[in-house]
Amino acid sequence: MKHEQFAKQKFDVLLNSTPCGMAGNKQALPIAENELNAGLVFDMVYNPLETPLLALAKARGIPL
């Protein structure tokens, strides 16, 4: 799916299993803020506890 299509879609769950957001990893998040349209967000990164993805989801009122 292309990035412009993500912003138009609604997903039940978004699961991040990449190292994006892990302490010491400079890799950008795989999606943009306007593409985060999920009912629930789960990030498998454990360091830090609140990753950039989880902070974004929290700011948008998406359950973690």
Side-chain angles (χ1 to χ4, degrees):
M1 184 175 289
K2 296 181 180 180
H3 278 273
E4 56 270 5
Q5 294 173 314
F6 277 112
K8 298 176 185 175
Q9 299 293 319
K10 176 73 173 156
F11 299 94
D12 293 330
V13 177
L14 179 116
L15 170 67
N16 177 38
S17 61
T18 72
C20 298
M22 185 172 277
N25 187 310
K26 302 296 183 201
Q27 201 171 0
L29 291 176
I31 62 170
E33 181 176 352
N34 68 323
E35 298 169 347
L36 184 55
N37 299 316
L40 177 78
V41 173
F42 182 80
D43 201 339
M44 294 179 70
V45 171
Y46 52 86
N47 182 17
L49 291 177
E50 183 171 277
T51 63
L53 177 61
L54 294 179
L56 177 59
K58 185 178 178 181
R60 298 198 52 198
I62 299 172
L64 309 174

